[in-house]
Amino acid sequence: MDIKDVAAVVTGGGSGMGAETARQLAKGGARVAVLDLNGDNAEAVAKEIGGVAFQCDVSNEDSARTALEGAAKAQGIARILMNCAGIAPGARVVGKDGPHDLALFTKTITVNLIGTFNMLRLSAAAMSALEPVNDTGERGVIINTASVAAYEGQIGQAAYSASKGGVVGMTLPAARELARFGIRVVTIAPGLIGTPMLLNMPQEVQDSLIATTLFPKRLGRPDEFSSLALHVIDNAMINGETIRLDGAVRLAPK
Ligand code: NAP
């Protein structure tokens, strides 16, 4: 799908991969709404790219609805949803202080999985009422962000891996269901990308993670994520699939 003059919503757009994707979408001529829990960061990115910003908690029904309605009012209903918002807390199932905090497990699932689904369902409902953009009946694209931890989560990642595994799991059924509206659903599962989420980890943790990457032996860059996202939007045959973007990293147990 051509992104020129198309409205797009990017969650987690105030930082990291979401921010870079928002920049690349705007560069390609899309009208971008930047949504983030951190409203100041969303504002800063929107200002930089000539888009609009909304403070939004993707896991909250009212907050998500209000932000999407505001974005649609400002720029038209989005044909592109980039679900990049996420959190990555670490905790052992049984740690030094006892069992995993259940509230932390719930929060991780709530933001990463339920938040992704919340945005997907609301965006798809709005998109389905739009006219197709071409004679194949294409109306829009939804791209989710999982993680390689969906497949080989490390010790301390039970909650994060479960949340991202859920995102991988819903990709095909959502694509199957939304095909009748001409809406594709694709998930990207990044490996280790140099964003605040990873760069805030201790250097020795980063080094040990990079050591398990096959090639290239470095962190991925946010622009490598955004260039894949833009290709997925452009290439209508990519659908119902989770694509690893990881330099063939296979995470070790710890
Ligand atoms: P990031 O720089 O931390 O960006 C994530 C953004 O999401 C932050 O601005 C964060 O705001 C926002 N956010 C958190 N909870 C939210 C909520 N409830 N509603 C709306 N926004 C929320 O991290 P990133 O690396 O770009 O991560 C993007 C996605 O990639 C995430 O889903 C992450 O799990 C996934 N991922 C990252 C890596 C990696 O190596 N970096 C690898 C695999 C997958 P706050 O700063 O206020 O929390």
Side-chain angles (χ1 to χ4, degrees):
M1 195 174 69
D2 193 353
I3 63 173
K4 197 162 171 13
D5 294 327
V6 163
V9 165
V10 183
T11 78
S15 178
M17 288 184 266
E20 188 55 27
T21 307
R23 287 186 191 101
Q24 294 310 318
L25 284 165
K27 207 170 153 192
R31 301 188 298 272
V32 183
V34 181
L35 275 52
D36 205 290
L37 193 59
N38 185 321
D40 291 343
N41 285 351
E43 286 286 353
V45 173
K47 195 168 170 206
E48 178 193 331
I49 66 174
V52 291
F54 295 90
Q55 196 279 335
C56 168
D57 176 355
V58 293
S59 65
N60 180 287
E61 178 153 20
D62 290 343
S63 177
R65 246 184 225 285
T66 304
L68 286 176
E69 283 169 10
K73 205 167 168 196
Q75 304 191 314
I77 292 171
R79 291 187 185 274
I80 298 166
L81 169 66
M82 283 298 311
N83 261 322
C84 291
I87 54 172
R92 291 187 178 231
V93 178
V94 181
K96 282 195 290 287
D97 300 326
H100 197 296
D101 179 5
L102 194 56
L104 182 64
F105 190 92
T106 305
K107 182 177 180 194
T108 310
I109 300 291
T110 303
V111 174
N112 291 355
L113 177 55
I114 297 177
T116 296
F117 181 71
N118 191 30
M119 299 305 297
L120 181 150
R121 78 187 176 106
L122 295 173
S123 301
M127 256 182 232
S128 67
L130 291 171
E131 287 301 312
V133 284
N134 54 37
D135 55 13
T136 63
E138 187 168 20
R139 285 191 169 81
V141 190
I142 295 171
I143 301 179
N144 305 315
T145 309
S147 165
V148 296
Y151 306 104
E152 65 256 8
Q154 299 192 291
I155 289 170
Q157 288 192 311
Y160 186 67
S161 296
S163 71
K164 296 300 189 178
V167 174
V168 172
M170 74 182 172
T171 302
L172 182 60
R176 285 178 162 164
E177 187 183 324
L178 298 178
R180 73 188 175 100
F181 301 119
I183 299 170
R184 291 182 290 127
V185 182
V186 177
T187 295
I188 298 174
L192 312 162
I193 312 290
T195 69
M197 184 178 278
L198 204 123
L199 296 172
N200 287 337
M201 292 180 183
Q203 190 59 47
E204 61 269 25
V205 174
Q206 292 183 43
D207 292 344
S208 76
L209 288 169
I210 292 169
T212 62
T213 304
L214 202 58
F215 182 84
K217 250 188 195 333
R218 59 169 172 80
L219 296 179
R221 299 188 310 262
D223 68 282
E224 291 168 326
F225 174 89
S226 60
S227 79
L228 176 58
L230 263 66
H231 180 74
V232 167
I233 294 165
D234 184 52
N235 191 329
M237 282 308 286
I238 304 177
N239 192 13
E241 177 62 306
T242 298
I243 305 167
R244 291 182 70 127
L245 179 75
D246 65 357
V249 74
R250 296 294 178 269
L251 299 178
K254 59 181 178 181

